[in-house]
Amino acid sequence: MRPDSVTIVSNCTVIPEKKSSLGDLKLSASDLPMLSCHYIQKGGLFTRPPFPIDALLALLKRALSSTLVHFPPLAGRLITDAHGYVYITCNDAGVDFIHANAGHIFIRDLLSPIHVPDSFKEFFAFDRTVSYDGHFKPIMAVQVTELADGVFIGCAVNHAVTDGTSFWNFFNTFADLSRGLKRISRAPCFERKSVLISQAVLMVPQGGPKVTFSGDAPLAERIFSFSREAILKLKSKVNNHQSSCIGEIDAIEILGKQSNDPWKPDQKASGKVTSVLENWLKNAVAVSKPQTDCPNQTVEISSFQSLSALLWRAVTRARKFHPSKTTTFRMAVNVRHRLEPKLDPLYFGNAIQSIPTYASAGDVLSRDLRWCAEQLNSNVKAHNDDMVRKFIGDWESSPKCFPLGNFDGAMITMGSSPRFPMYDNDFGWGRPMAIRGGRANKFDGKISAFPGREGGGSVDLEVVLSPETMAGLESDSEFMQYVTGCA
């Protein structure tokens, strides 16, 4: 497929249907470092709706206008005051709404290739736009691309304004209102009273900050899917569990995640699920107490940490480093529930920090998988209120944009989350067939974690690597045995 295979049919501005009463919002110590990052680009691939494209466009424009009432920062612009502080002014300037056509592309053309086709890059606006440019451009753009038998709804949003939690709350609300819901269930919180709101000033170079990685390096991109069964098998191996312990540990993890999860359905349903799980867990523990089948693990490694450790080993092996080479595995963590007092789970803005874990290539490859997972686990577990504040203090002592990239060839950067409700988007004719991203913020070693479409704890990893490293990963038997359809 040609890179110019998408034709822009129309472009207009959508403004909120009601004027905003929200004042200017100051960018935080978590927002400002993102000014050098590309706009976030994420969207959903859907089957063709059972009504004409003109009706779809009208529906989406109306719903977007309604959604912006609840998310006024997205319809605003960035401003910098005389003191150097950067704000979002909620001035109702509006967002771009683009209608594009790629009628010769079928859904099978997008989902059947092993590697992610370049066509997805054409389904998003603001290609390679740096977030600082929100001073001069809309903070968000929605692009609706017609396909032969489907439609792609892509959204590009300024990364200094939103993180993944905020982005998916917007996207899901947009889908809800498109589907005909009259009230939103997850109202964003725009409070700006936490330790994240800093008095430090970020000095911006003339012309604005630039991305810190090459946008021209050759890259291979592939979605690796892991079923719930494969994830549990991997987690059991990492934790050295007997099969009789797996269900108990899985329930413990579900309860732990639920306590920090903003994406709860109605509280009655949530309470019932929690009650059932708690009762089941009590019985399971009572039954298992006299038994000695379950080893007394001092550290319980989560499913996602187990998967991350597996990836760390396989990519390190594929890169063929000298054993003394230091490798880095970065994980983005949500700090909303780590701060004391906690932020609102639906705090709007960036509330993420990137935690690096270092280990020599020799240790990553010669020690077992559990050792790698323990390194990640200990760092994530240690990232409490004190550590979050330390990260903020370190940034305040030397404010700078976040250096995104693979600077020594030995870095992996894990972003997004399999806990984001990416498949909860139904615009009125069904859930998405797939979630995909554009070209934004991609470099050798950039990984994004998505939930699997089938749910139930399945995970998709969007893996971006140099072509040589990707070939090595695809021939790695330890890694590929867990990949759906490749065992």
Side-chain angles (χ1 to χ4, degrees):
M1 285 171 277
R2 308 182 315 276
D4 60 345
S5 58
V6 174
T7 302
I8 302 300
V9 179
S10 65
N11 190 342
C12 67
T13 300
V14 173
I15 62 173
E17 65 182 13
K18 295 178 184 175
K19 287 189 177 295
S20 170
S21 59
L22 192 64
D24 293 348
L25 298 179
K26 188 178 181 184
L27 293 194
S28 73
S30 192
D31 298 322
L32 289 166
M34 301 300 180
L35 285 170
S36 65
C37 296
H38 290 147
Y39 276 48
I40 296 171
Q41 294 178 322
K42 291 287 190 295
L45 175 64
F46 297 85
T47 57
R48 181 174 282 277
F51 40 81
I53 188 67
D54 288 346
L56 172 64
L57 297 173
L59 168 71
L60 294 178
K61 286 177 187 177
R62 285 195 303 271
L64 180 57
S65 180
S66 298
T67 307
L68 291 174
V69 172
H70 304 285
F71 293 82
L74 297 177
R77 299 292 184 270
L78 298 183
I79 58 171
T80 300
D81 70 11
H83 303 289
Y85 296 120
V86 186
Y87 294 83
I88 309 164
T89 180
C90 301
N91 61 2
D92 302 314
V95 305
D96 281 357
F97 186 94
I98 300 157
H99 170 210
N101 185 280
H104 59 290
I105 299 177
F106 290 82
I107 289 175
R108 65 174 180 269
D109 299 329
L110 298 169
L111 298 185
S112 60
I114 292 176
H115 290 172
V116 177
D118 284 343
S119 295
F120 281 109
K121 298 179 176 65
E122 309 302 316
F123 297 166
F124 298 92
F126 296 139
D127 185 38
R128 288 173 281 197
T129 298
V130 175
S131 291
Y132 183 81
D133 290 351
H135 283 82
F136 325 110
K137 298 180 179 181
I139 281 172
M140 185 176 73
V142 173
Q143 180 173 319
V144 181
T145 305
E146 288 182 79
L147 306 172
D149 56 350
V151 64
F152 191 90
I153 301 176
C155 194
V157 182
N158 193 298
H159 207 336
V161 175
T162 64
D163 61 6
T165 297
S166 301
F167 176 92
W168 288 109
N169 190 21
F170 158 76
F171 203 83
N172 285 356
T173 303
F174 179 26
D176 287 348
L177 296 185
S178 297
R179 196 169 67 251
L181 297 189
K182 300 303 181 186
R183 298 181 61 185
I184 72 168
S185 58
R186 298 181 295 272
C189 171
F190 299 108
E191 194 171 89
R192 290 296 188 268
K193 295 178 181 176
S194 75
V195 67
L196 292 176
I197 306 305
S198 172
Q199 295 305 307
V201 175
L202 174 67
M203 302 304 294
V204 177
Q206 187 141 11
K210 309 297 181 190
V211 292
T212 53
F213 57 90
S214 169
D216 301 319
L219 296 171
E221 181 179 341
R222 178 171 171 177
I223 306 293
F224 292 95
S225 297
F226 301 85
S227 68
R228 167 187 164 82
E229 291 72 27
I231 294 284
L232 289 179
K233 180 181 174 184
L234 174 63
K235 182 185 175 187
S236 177
K237 177 182 179 181
V238 168
N239 286 288
N240 301 314
H241 291 140
Q242 302 294 329
S243 59
S244 60
C245 307
I246 295 175
E248 177 183 327
I249 289 150
D250 196 32
I252 293 170
E253 186 171 346
I254 290 169
L255 286 170
K257 285 180 177 178
Q258 192 181 56
S259 68
N260 291 325
D261 198 346
W263 307 106
K264 294 176 181 174
D266 68 86
Q267 293 301 314
K268 276 188 183 175
S270 178
K272 280 183 182 177
V273 171
T274 302
S275 176
V276 168
L277 280 170
E278 284 175 341
N279 289 335
W280 182 90
L281 187 56
K282 283 176 187 173
N283 293 334
V285 171
V287 169
S288 66
K289 268 183 181 176
Q291 300 174 0
T292 57
D293 293 355
C294 303
N296 180 24
Q297 295 286 350
T298 56
V299 177
E300 177 64 29
I301 306 299
S302 73
S303 301
F304 189 59
Q305 290 161 1
S306 301
L307 184 58
S308 296
L310 180 73
L311 180 73
W312 191 6
R313 277 167 61 89
V315 171
T316 300
R317 192 155 39 230
R319 285 174 168 169
K320 299 182 171 64
F321 292 132
H322 187 276
S324 64
K325 176 73 171 178
T326 298
T327 70
T328 306
F329 194 109
R330 282 192 169 274
M331 299 185 80
V333 297
N334 181 359
V335 303
R336 288 169 175 81
H337 62 281
R338 297 174 190 272
L339 278 167
E340 296 294 344
K342 292 178 172 60
L343 291 178
D344 188 292
L346 294 173
Y347 166 85
F348 185 89
N350 286 278
I352 51 175
Q353 291 179 341
S354 181
I355 304 175
T357 300
Y358 306 102
S360 71
D363 279 342
V364 170
L365 297 180
S366 66
R367 296 175 181 264
D368 63 14
L369 194 57
R370 179 174 175 84
W371 183 89
C372 293
E374 282 177 336
Q375 310 314 300
L376 300 172
N377 174 276
S378 61
N379 265 356
V380 171
K381 195 171 181 180
H383 208 78
N384 56 14
D385 177 68
D386 289 341
M387 191 61 74
V388 173
R389 291 171 185 272
K390 180 182 184 304
F391 270 49
I392 295 169
D394 290 346
W395 182 84
E396 288 177 325
S397 67
S398 180
K400 57 182 177 293
C401 288
F402 185 70
L404 196 62
N406 182 7
F407 307 110
D408 62 359
M411 301 179 74
I412 297 172
T413 300
M414 176 70 78
S416 197
S417 170
R419 294 177 62 198
F420 289 155
M422 300 184 188
Y423 285 96
D424 291 358
N425 304 300
D426 181 349
F427 285 83
W429 65 96
R431 296 163 66 240
M433 302 286 291
I435 299 296
R436 293 290 185 269
R439 197 193 320 259
N441 302 312
K442 288 182 177 174
F443 49 85
D444 176 21
K446 177 63 190 298
I447 318 296
S448 295
F450 302 164
R453 188 179 190 275
E454 63 272 26
S458 58
V459 177
D460 286 347
L461 292 183
E462 178 192 76
V463 177
V464 180
L465 295 168
S466 71
E468 300 79 16
T469 304
M470 181 66 80
L473 180 65
E474 291 172 334
S475 63
D476 189 288
S477 58
E478 182 187 47
F479 180 78
M480 295 299 291
Q481 68 176 305
Y482 294 99
V483 176
T484 301
C486 298

